[in-house]
Amino acid sequence: MKDLAPFIVSGIFDGSIYALAAIGLVLTFRISGIFNFAHGTLAAASAYTFYRLRVSDHMPWPVAAAITVMAVGLLGGLVLERIAYWLADAPAVLRVVATVGLLAAISSFLTGYFGPRALIMPPFLPRSELVVDDVHIGADAMISFAVALAATVGLYLFFKRTRMGAAMQAVVDDAPLVALQGISPDLVRRVAWAIGSSFVSISGILLAPKIGADVNILTLLVITAFGVAAVGAFSNLALTFAGGIAVGIVMNVLSYKTSNVSSYALQQLYLNVPFIVLVVALVAIPRRHLIERGVQRVRRATPAPSLQMGVNVAGIGAATLAALLIPAFVGPKINQYSAAGAYVIIFASIALLVWTSGEVSLAQMSFAAIGAATYGHALQHHFPWLISLALSGLVLVPIAALVAVPARRLSGLYVAVLTFGFGLLVQQMFFRSPLMFGNQNFLAVDRPKPFNGLVDTNGDKTYYYVVVVVAALSLVAATAVRRVRLGRLLRAFGDSPLALTAHGINTTTMGVSAFCVSAFLAGIGGALLAGVTSSASGVSFDFTISLSMIAVLVASTALTLGRRMPITASIIASVVFVVLKVYISNSFYVRYQGVIFGSVALAVACAPGILAAHGGLQRGWMARLSDPGPLARGNSSSHPVEVAR
Amino acid sequence: MRPTPEQLSIEELTVRFGGMTAVDNLSLHAPAGKITGLIGPNGAGKTTTFNACSGFVNAVHGTVRLGAAELNPLGAASRAKRGLGRTFQRMELWGSFTVGENVALGVECAFAAQRPWSQLVGTRQHQRQAARSAGDAIDRCGLGEVAHRRAADLSTGQRRLVELARAIASPFCFLMLDEPSSGLDGPETEHFGRVLTEFVKDTDVGVLLVEHDMALVGSICSYLYVLDFGSLIFEAPTEQVMRSEVVRAAYLGTESMGSGQPQAEVSLDV
């Protein structure tokens, strides 16, 4: 037991910082109902800003920290409050897309501006040590703990002792009633967002000397924060703080205990403790505590009317012709087009969910990675090509069901949260395991040899045509899903899940089926993608690609004028995401393309709310994406949606 | 296709939200082939009663039966599958579907609910059957002219009728209608009353109606239950309730007592 003491102590100190970030998340989530996926990215932005001021500009650390918290925490919080305001009555899918877009934009900016490598942050707090029973405790750790504890206690007293604190809780329940008391609900929300964002900003600064200014790692703080917040049932401050400490201890102890085990997955298990805690909490906590809080009843999206049949046929004809002629014109760039074909399938797998059941999966690239690995292993075991391809999709059906079942118990938001965590888990625990890409994070994948080798796909052009055929079949399958009974039910679920339940439909089964079909398609796409380079690796299936893809897909809807056109949107998104890179070599575009995609996705998600809030321009195509709300807003009550009658 | 109509029985139903008792020991019997009214002021617990019967909220005590079958252990979807249909105070249409598709999908849900895999694809026979039932219901409700328009684009009154059409087309053996005439004008309300009465007469399906239009209630309900603060304060045949001094004083206002006429135009905020 004594050997664990240092890890328990360091777990307490780490956990207190996680708790600080989690409390910030709880505060903003409860006040607005918006789960900010960019919460961890704010921590990253704070770490980079602090680095710039402290290391590059040589400012004293208290000044650098104060400026960072003011600039990223306070101002960032105020910007986020406006975004949350515009999203107040938006469907869950747009709420998720907005903050995922923000995440993609900020991450891309930080990577583009500061470079992709983590910046080493020299320690700025005192380094003297206190030795207690052979356990060394650094002054910096104790200061971090004290800051986190003081912030938590201060917030608790703020809620209990101040008028604004009481108003903050009241706004969650009944904003108009708060307004009648002469307190502006908007002001209360701004204060809450400023506090919540400042908390995560401080945690980013405190974590920076330990892990460096690293956008990839700090972005994931959001999952740690959500796991910790789940311990406090997304409301209790004291439990959340205790949860942070507990998660910190378990992570540190587990890291020590599994450091010498042979299994790579077990070695990485400690990183996924927050996600496991989150899953357990979502399954165990009574549903009424997990309904999206601060959410008024969302008005459902009413899409623009479909295009006429003639336009559709002409579009399909033009796309087919273009697909057939591409090899004649693109020369050595053909492999990028093959990759684009594979990406079309993965985009379609996302679009299938977004445009039917109104949900977002943030793990599609992880599904694609599993598909690619399965495909590669099956080929190495001499399975026929077609069976290997089918297996790459089929293997995902039970996995997707396992992810979807706990999420389906709750609302669409939790599907996004759980898939976010699942994507991370797969990447951290399994990418380097023998089940997937192995120690080298690389798996050789042969190109297919259809019809017993009669068609040799070693030539890039031939492989391109194979991809086009499989992509076309997958798109037909995705279209068919929308047109058969399951598709009708899913569309109806997007309009009114309550009416479906009242007609006897078990919406859990239905949602899980859609999720499985979506994962199946992503697996097929992943297998084809691996074939392009005859290899699969963790790099080409990085988890963060899923987030960028969501942003690009939603940004692409700007070109479909708000119509439900998943296939068209998928093709546009794939061209934008893969093909444009081939032709635009401008370094600014290459470095900051994520900023563009993320910003457009954020704009598309917020547009209906902005239009409604500024002049009632509600008849435009963007307004069709979701009914206007903020005009009629005022009551951001926390009524559970299905019993608010 | 429609199953045998059943009666709905509620015995000693109690629903609490935290410390507040929303429905207190309510017993009610709504027979097949009749329209039974459930009235009361705002917050009386009528919609909560509906939610408890249809499984959207849990009762702390009491029994809900459809015919002889006890519904308490079942969830909302399973109760609907057993034949207990309902509409909502705030309309729940599938807005991106046309009127015809809305009504047909309501019927198709019954097929889809049979087995988990029935949700994947339907047979042509099912689709034909759904289309036939939907066509009949659309004709009955006079929605033929708007059958190809999207539900989201219709007026409130028309959407109310679509919700009714969907409910009566679906193979439910008992219907609970929550403020179905809300948003309808005078002629539309009359039309609605006629449609519902004819439907009940033709099919023998029982209806439990929450309604605030007392003229409509008086003209189509055969028996009324009156709720206040979650408790049943009066029950009797409709004419008797309309004449009751207690009920009129409580719900129709004291001025109406002098006129000696039921205040059909008074719109209770039920």
Side-chain angles (χ1 to χ4, degrees):
Chain A
M1 183 67 190
K2 195 169 180 183
D3 61 326
L4 294 181
F7 298 94
I8 292 172
V9 170
S10 88
I12 291 171
F13 296 134
D14 288 354
S16 65
I17 302 176
Y18 301 152
L20 195 61
I23 288 168
L25 190 71
V26 168
L27 191 58
T28 54
F29 181 46
R30 275 181 61 84
I31 202 82
S32 66
I34 304 295
F35 177 67
N36 181 16
F37 282 92
H39 193 67
T41 322
L42 283 185
S46 300
Y48 280 98
T49 307
F50 184 67
Y51 177 90
R52 169 70 192 259
L53 298 174
R54 167 80 176 136
V55 179
S56 304
D57 297 343
H58 308 292
M59 281 188 190
W61 77 260
V63 178
I67 293 175
T68 301
V69 174
M70 297 266 284
V72 180
L74 291 179
L75 287 181
L78 294 179
V79 172
L80 284 164
E81 189 279 329
R82 276 297 88 183
I83 292 172
Y85 176 83
W86 292 322
L87 293 170
D89 290 345
V93 63
L94 289 187
R95 290 161 172 249
V96 172
V97 161
T99 56
V100 167
L102 191 64
L103 184 161
I106 297 175
S107 302
S108 170
F109 174 78
L110 293 175
T111 312
Y113 189 80
F114 291 99
R117 288 175 179 277
L119 303 175
I120 309 290
M121 172 78 75
F124 60 91
L125 292 172
R127 300 281 290 163
S128 55
E129 285 185 341
L130 177 70
V131 181
V132 181
D133 199 16
D134 286 343
V135 177
H136 295 249
I137 306 171
D140 53 349
M142 285 191 284
I143 291 172
S144 295
F145 180 80
V147 167
L149 185 63
T152 308
V153 172
L155 189 64
Y156 179 81
L157 294 175
F158 173 73
F159 281 140
K160 292 291 175 194
R161 300 278 170 82
T162 67
R163 186 173 150 84
M164 178 59 81
M168 214 167 271
Q169 296 182 73
V171 161
V172 174
D173 292 330
D174 198 330
L177 210 55
V178 174
L180 287 175
Q181 298 295 314
I183 300 173
S184 162
D186 281 345
L187 175 66
V188 174
R189 291 189 188 102
R190 278 183 204 127
V191 172
W193 272 99
I195 295 174
S197 301
S198 297
F199 274 26
V200 75
S201 178
I202 294 170
S203 60
I205 293 170
L206 293 175
L207 283 172
K210 286 177 73 80
I211 57 178
D214 187 330
V215 68
N216 293 322
I217 293 181
L218 284 168
T219 291
L220 307 183
L221 182 64
V222 68
I223 277 293
T224 309
F226 211 68
V228 168
V231 178
F234 305 99
S235 60
N236 188 308
L237 290 186
L239 272 181
T240 302
F241 192 81
I245 304 285
V247 166
I249 292 173
V250 173
M251 286 178 78
N252 274 272
V253 170
L254 204 57
S255 156
Y256 166 65
K257 285 286 187 189
T258 56
S259 57
N260 292 322
V261 297
S262 57
S263 161
Y264 179 79
L266 275 181
Q267 279 178 23
Q268 299 297 310
L269 181 63
Y270 76 97
L271 288 172
N272 292 284
V273 168
F275 175 63
I276 293 164
V277 169
L278 175 62
V279 173
V280 171
L282 292 185
V283 171
I285 295 175
R287 193 168 174 269
R288 64 181 179 277
H289 293 298
L290 297 173
I291 296 294
E292 290 174 52
R293 287 187 168 275
V295 183
Q296 207 177 1
R297 188 184 169 77
V298 167
R299 294 183 178 185
R300 307 306 305 187
T302 304
S306 303
L307 292 174
Q308 290 182 345
M309 179 67 88
V311 179
N312 282 328
V313 170
I316 293 168
T320 309
L321 191 64
L324 293 175
L325 293 179
I326 276 172
F329 296 98
V330 299
K333 296 187 174 82
I334 188 68
N335 276 343
Q336 272 72 32
Y337 283 87
S338 300
Y343 267 106
V344 166
I345 303 174
I346 305 174
F347 273 116
S349 74
I350 303 171
L352 184 69
L353 284 180
V354 171
W355 276 278
T356 50
S357 55
E359 291 169 348
V360 179
S361 163
L362 300 178
Q364 291 310 90
M365 277 315 271
S366 304
F367 289 143
I370 295 172
T374 306
Y375 178 68
H377 286 298
L379 287 177
Q380 284 178 2
H381 286 83
H382 309 295
F383 279 81
W385 168 71
L386 209 51
I387 290 177
S388 303
L389 190 66
L391 281 175
S392 68
L394 288 173
V395 74
L396 282 157
V397 172
I399 296 172
L402 207 62
V403 178
V405 167
R408 297 297 314 183
R409 182 174 161 259
L410 305 164
S411 64
L413 168 72
Y414 293 96
V415 175
V417 172
L418 279 184
T419 49
F420 191 103
F422 174 77
L424 264 181
L425 182 138
V426 171
Q427 178 158 324
Q428 289 173 338
M429 288 182 66
F430 296 107
F431 270 19
R432 285 176 182 274
S433 77
L435 283 172
M436 290 188 71
F437 308 129
N439 269 337
Q440 302 299 316
N441 202 13
F442 179 90
L443 180 71
V445 178
D446 289 340
R447 281 190 174 176
K449 293 185 174 45
F451 310 112
N452 288 328
L454 283 178
V455 179
D456 181 9
T457 55
N458 284 327
D460 292 339
K461 279 189 186 178
T462 319
Y463 186 66
Y464 166 81
Y465 284 118
V466 168
V467 172
V468 167
V469 169
V470 177
L473 290 174
S474 301
L475 296 184
V476 168
T479 308
V481 167
R482 293 185 74 229
R483 292 184 187 279
V484 298
R485 180 180 281 168
L486 178 63
R488 287 193 290 278
L489 293 176
L490 287 167
R491 273 177 60 206
F493 182 81
D495 285 348
S496 171
L498 208 55
L500 271 185
T501 306
H503 279 78
I505 297 297
N506 182 336
T507 53
T508 302
T509 313
M510 190 187 72
V512 170
S513 306
F515 202 74
C516 292
V517 172
S518 168
F520 176 88
L521 287 177
I524 299 283
L528 291 181
L529 192 59
V532 176
T533 54
S534 298
S535 66
S537 73
V539 178
S540 46
F541 293 99
D542 191 272
F543 159 75
T544 54
I545 298 173
S546 303
L547 307 180
S548 303
M549 287 177 73
I550 295 285
V552 173
L553 182 67
V554 173
S556 301
T557 60
L559 296 173
T560 63
L561 303 182
R563 288 181 168 82
R564 276 180 179 167
M565 298 171 70
I567 305 303
T568 309
S570 302
I571 294 171
I572 293 172
S574 185
V575 169
V576 170
F577 195 61
V578 183
V579 178
L580 275 191
K581 281 182 204 166
V582 182
Y583 295 99
I584 303 180
S585 55
N586 179 293
S587 64
F588 183 84
Y589 175 78
V590 172
R591 284 165 72 185
Y592 295 110
Q593 56 179 314
V595 178
I596 299 167
F597 299 147
S599 303
V600 175
L602 177 64
V604 168
C606 293
I610 295 172
L611 290 172
H614 297 95
L617 302 172
Q618 295 155 20
R619 293 205 167 272
W621 64 268
M622 283 190 285
R624 292 191 184 106
L625 284 173
S626 71
D627 281 357
L631 269 187
R633 196 173 79 135
N635 179 15
S636 293
S637 70
S638 58
H639 301 307
V641 286
E642 74 275 35
V643 292
R645 308 172 190 288
Chain B
M1 180 192 170
R2 188 178 292 282
T4 312
E6 299 281 8
Q7 61 180 11
L8 179 74
S9 306
I10 302 171
E11 291 160 23
E12 299 173 353
L13 183 77
T14 300
V15 181
R16 291 199 188 98
F17 297 121
M20 191 196 79
T21 302
V23 178
D24 190 10
N25 206 29
L26 171 68
S27 293
L28 176 156
H29 175 73
K34 303 279 184 196
I35 303 175
T36 307
L38 180 62
I39 63 170
N42 195 21
K46 305 175 300 298
T47 297
T48 303
T49 302
F50 267 34
N51 286 338
C53 290
S54 52
F56 285 98
V57 299
N58 293 326
V60 294
H61 182 253
T63 312
V64 179
R65 283 199 176 84
L66 187 64
E70 190 179 321
L71 299 183
N72 289 46
L74 304 177
S78 299
R79 294 184 194 204
K81 201 171 143 185
R82 282 286 177 96
L84 182 61
R86 70 165 291 180
T87 64
F88 295 90
Q89 186 178 341
R90 181 169 174 157
M91 277 177 286
E92 292 288 345
L93 288 177
W94 298 307
S96 62
F97 288 69
T98 65
V99 169
E101 288 169 342
N102 252 283
V103 181
L105 186 60
V107 184
E108 198 177 356
C109 281
F111 300 122
Q114 287 171 356
R115 294 170 201 88
W117 56 88
S118 305
Q119 291 183 358
L120 300 177
V121 287
T123 62
R124 282 187 186 281
Q125 188 196 349
H126 285 170
Q127 278 184 320
R128 275 199 297 271
Q129 207 167 333
R132 200 164 45 240
S133 299
D136 289 348
I138 285 171
D139 288 344
R140 194 189 273 276
C141 294
L143 290 166
E145 285 184 9
V146 294
H148 296 290
R149 288 180 58 190
R150 285 194 317 172
D153 297 335
L154 303 180
S155 68
T156 303
Q158 287 172 319
R159 281 189 285 147
R160 283 277 174 211
L161 285 174
V162 175
E163 204 173 26
L164 176 70
R166 191 176 63 185
I168 65 178
S170 302
F172 293 126
C173 52
F174 190 91
L175 280 181
M176 299 191 300
L177 307 181
D178 197 350
E179 297 195 17
S181 81
S182 168
L184 303 188
D185 61 19
E188 283 174 335
T189 304
E190 276 181 32
H191 174 61
F192 173 84
R194 271 199 310 277
V195 170
L196 190 60
T197 311
E198 282 171 16
F199 167 72
V200 171
K201 191 176 158 195
D202 293 349
T203 61
D204 214 26
V205 168
V207 172
L208 181 61
L209 181 76
V210 164
E211 186 51 68
H212 62 175
D213 184 328
M214 294 307 290
L216 179 66
V217 168
S219 65
I220 67 174
C221 292
S222 57
Y223 198 89
L224 293 182
Y225 290 86
V226 187
L227 280 182
D228 193 15
F229 291 111
S231 300
L232 184 66
I233 59 166
F234 201 82
E235 64 164 296
T238 304
E239 303 76 26
Q240 204 176 322
V241 173
M242 290 298 193
R243 286 197 302 271
S244 160
E245 296 297 322
V246 176
V247 174
R248 292 177 61 198
Y251 299 106
L252 305 181
T254 48
E255 281 183 17
S256 66
M257 292 177 67
S259 69
Q261 296 294 322
Q263 296 296 291
E265 298 305 317
V266 174
S267 188
L268 294 177
D269 188 13
V270 188

PDB file of all heavy atoms in Angstrom, chain B residues 12-25:
ATOM      1  N   GLU B  12     -58.128   4.061  -8.371  1.00  0.00           N
ATOM      2  CA  GLU B  12     -57.334   4.661  -7.282  1.00  0.00           C
ATOM      3  C   GLU B  12     -55.963   5.138  -7.776  1.00  0.00           C
ATOM      4  O   GLU B  12     -54.935   4.886  -7.134  1.00  0.00           O
ATOM      5  CB  GLU B  12     -57.172   3.653  -6.138  1.00  0.00           C
ATOM      6  CG  GLU B  12     -58.512   3.243  -5.560  1.00  0.00           C
ATOM      7  CD  GLU B  12     -58.377   2.114  -4.535  1.00  0.00           C
ATOM      8  OE1 GLU B  12     -57.264   1.587  -4.382  1.00  0.00           O
ATOM      9  OE2 GLU B  12     -59.389   1.787  -3.901  1.00  0.00           O
ATOM     10  N   LEU B  13     -55.959   5.846  -8.869  1.00  0.00           N
ATOM     11  CA  LEU B  13     -54.698   6.320  -9.453  1.00  0.00           C
ATOM     12  C   LEU B  13     -54.166   7.527  -8.670  1.00  0.00           C
ATOM     13  O   LEU B  13     -54.887   8.494  -8.431  1.00  0.00           O
ATOM     14  CB  LEU B  13     -54.930   6.732 -10.911  1.00  0.00           C
ATOM     15  CG  LEU B  13     -53.694   7.181 -11.678  1.00  0.00           C
ATOM     16  CD1 LEU B  13     -52.853   5.988 -12.089  1.00  0.00           C
ATOM     17  CD2 LEU B  13     -54.097   7.971 -12.925  1.00  0.00           C
ATOM     18  N   THR B  14     -52.898   7.437  -8.302  1.00  0.00           N
ATOM     19  CA  THR B  14     -52.234   8.558  -7.623  1.00  0.00           C
ATOM     20  C   THR B  14     -50.901   8.826  -8.305  1.00  0.00           C
ATOM     21  O   THR B  14     -50.116   7.904  -8.527  1.00  0.00           O
ATOM     22  CB  THR B  14     -51.998   8.238  -6.134  1.00  0.00           C
ATOM     23  OG1 THR B  14     -53.276   7.996  -5.524  1.00  0.00           O
ATOM     24  CG2 THR B  14     -51.326   9.406  -5.415  1.00  0.00           C
ATOM     25  N   VAL B  15     -50.677  10.096  -8.658  1.00  0.00           N
ATOM     26  CA  VAL B  15     -49.409  10.492  -9.273  1.00  0.00           C
ATOM     27  C   VAL B  15     -48.840  11.647  -8.471  1.00  0.00           C
ATOM     28  O   VAL B  15     -49.545  12.613  -8.165  1.00  0.00           O
ATOM     29  CB  VAL B  15     -49.609  10.949 -10.736  1.00  0.00           C
ATOM     30  CG1 VAL B  15     -48.268  11.331 -11.359  1.00  0.00           C
ATOM     31  CG2 VAL B  15     -50.275   9.872 -11.560  1.00  0.00           C
ATOM     32  N   ARG B  16     -47.591  11.514  -8.119  1.00  0.00           N
ATOM     33  CA  ARG B  16     -46.932  12.592  -7.369  1.00  0.00           C
ATOM     34  C   ARG B  16     -45.680  13.049  -8.111  1.00  0.00           C
ATOM     35  O   ARG B  16     -44.953  12.241  -8.672  1.00  0.00           O
ATOM     36  CB  ARG B  16     -46.535  12.127  -5.965  1.00  0.00           C
ATOM     37  CG  ARG B  16     -47.708  11.884  -5.060  1.00  0.00           C
ATOM     38  CD  ARG B  16     -47.313  11.875  -3.577  1.00  0.00           C
ATOM     39  NE  ARG B  16     -48.458  11.448  -2.777  1.00  0.00           N
ATOM     40  CZ  ARG B  16     -48.651  10.210  -2.320  1.00  0.00           C
ATOM     41  NH1 ARG B  16     -47.735   9.308  -2.560  1.00  0.00           N
ATOM     42  NH2 ARG B  16     -49.711   9.901  -1.641  1.00  0.00           N
ATOM     43  N   PHE B  17     -45.448  14.362  -8.065  1.00  0.00           N
ATOM     44  CA  PHE B  17     -44.186  14.925  -8.544  1.00  0.00           C
ATOM     45  C   PHE B  17     -43.478  15.508  -7.324  1.00  0.00           C
ATOM     46  O   PHE B  17     -43.850  16.578  -6.853  1.00  0.00           O
ATOM     47  CB  PHE B  17     -44.415  16.013  -9.591  1.00  0.00           C
ATOM     48  CG  PHE B  17     -45.095  15.511 -10.840  1.00  0.00           C
ATOM     49  CD1 PHE B  17     -46.301  16.042 -11.267  1.00  0.00           C
ATOM     50  CD2 PHE B  17     -44.537  14.477 -11.583  1.00  0.00           C
ATOM     51  CE1 PHE B  17     -46.920  15.582 -12.414  1.00  0.00           C
ATOM     52  CE2 PHE B  17     -45.149  14.013 -12.733  1.00  0.00           C
ATOM     53  CZ  PHE B  17     -46.352  14.561 -13.142  1.00  0.00           C
ATOM     54  N   GLY B  18     -42.499  14.806  -6.817  1.00  0.00           N
ATOM     55  CA  GLY B  18     -41.861  15.247  -5.584  1.00  0.00           C
ATOM     56  C   GLY B  18     -42.905  15.267  -4.472  1.00  0.00           C
ATOM     57  O   GLY B  18     -43.606  14.281  -4.237  1.00  0.00           O
ATOM     58  N   GLY B  19     -43.078  16.422  -3.836  1.00  0.00           N
ATOM     59  CA  GLY B  19     -44.048  16.515  -2.744  1.00  0.00           C
ATOM     60  C   GLY B  19     -45.447  16.862  -3.211  1.00  0.00           C
ATOM     61  O   GLY B  19     -46.390  16.887  -2.409  1.00  0.00           O
ATOM     62  N   MET B  20     -45.598  17.145  -4.501  1.00  0.00           N
ATOM     63  CA  MET B  20     -46.911  17.583  -4.979  1.00  0.00           C
ATOM     64  C   MET B  20     -47.714  16.406  -5.538  1.00  0.00           C
ATOM     65  O   MET B  20     -47.204  15.630  -6.341  1.00  0.00           O
ATOM     66  CB  MET B  20     -46.719  18.626  -6.081  1.00  0.00           C
ATOM     67  CG  MET B  20     -47.992  19.327  -6.458  1.00  0.00           C
ATOM     68  SD  MET B  20     -47.812  20.185  -8.013  1.00  0.00           S
ATOM     69  CE  MET B  20     -47.988  18.859  -9.176  1.00  0.00           C
ATOM     70  N   THR B  21     -48.953  16.321  -5.076  1.00  0.00           N
ATOM     71  CA  THR B  21     -49.824  15.269  -5.587  1.00  0.00           C
ATOM     72  C   THR B  21     -50.603  15.830  -6.766  1.00  0.00           C
ATOM     73  O   THR B  21     -51.449  16.716  -6.600  1.00  0.00           O
ATOM     74  CB  THR B  21     -50.789  14.782  -4.494  1.00  0.00           C
ATOM     75  OG1 THR B  21     -49.996  14.307  -3.397  1.00  0.00           O
ATOM     76  CG2 THR B  21     -51.675  13.662  -5.003  1.00  0.00           C
ATOM     77  N   ALA B  22     -50.303  15.329  -7.953  1.00  0.00           N
ATOM     78  CA  ALA B  22     -50.952  15.850  -9.162  1.00  0.00           C
ATOM     79  C   ALA B  22     -52.282  15.163  -9.417  1.00  0.00           C
ATOM     80  O   ALA B  22     -53.236  15.782  -9.898  1.00  0.00           O
ATOM     81  CB  ALA B  22     -50.031  15.660 -10.360  1.00  0.00           C
ATOM     82  N   VAL B  23     -52.361  13.889  -9.102  1.00  0.00           N
ATOM     83  CA  VAL B  23     -53.611  13.131  -9.222  1.00  0.00           C
ATOM     84  C   VAL B  23     -53.761  12.310  -7.953  1.00  0.00           C
ATOM     85  O   VAL B  23     -52.823  11.621  -7.542  1.00  0.00           O
ATOM     86  CB  VAL B  23     -53.588  12.191 -10.451  1.00  0.00           C
ATOM     87  CG1 VAL B  23     -54.878  11.385 -10.526  1.00  0.00           C
ATOM     88  CG2 VAL B  23     -53.378  12.973 -11.739  1.00  0.00           C
ATOM     89  N   ASP B  24     -54.926  12.437  -7.331  1.00  0.00           N
ATOM     90  CA  ASP B  24     -55.080  11.834  -6.016  1.00  0.00           C
ATOM     91  C   ASP B  24     -56.229  10.828  -5.995  1.00  0.00           C
ATOM     92  O   ASP B  24     -57.398  11.196  -6.038  1.00  0.00           O
ATOM     93  CB  ASP B  24     -55.335  12.957  -4.992  1.00  0.00           C
ATOM     94  CG  ASP B  24     -55.257  12.442  -3.558  1.00  0.00           C
ATOM     95  OD1 ASP B  24     -54.825  11.297  -3.356  1.00  0.00           O
ATOM     96  OD2 ASP B  24     -55.653  13.186  -2.652  1.00  0.00           O
ATOM     97  N   ASN B  25     -55.861   9.570  -6.005  1.00  0.00           N
ATOM     98  CA  ASN B  25     -56.836   8.504  -5.799  1.00  0.00           C
ATOM     99  C   ASN B  25     -58.005   8.557  -6.785  1.00  0.00           C
ATOM    100  O   ASN B  25     -59.155   8.439  -6.397  1.00  0.00           O
ATOM    101  CB  ASN B  25     -57.363   8.628  -4.351  1.00  0.00           C
ATOM    102  CG  ASN B  25     -57.839   7.272  -3.851  1.00  0.00           C
ATOM    103  OD1 ASN B  25     -57.328   6.239  -4.273  1.00  0.00           O
ATOM    104  ND2 ASN B  25     -58.842   7.276  -2.984  1.00  0.00           N
TER     105      ASN B  25
END
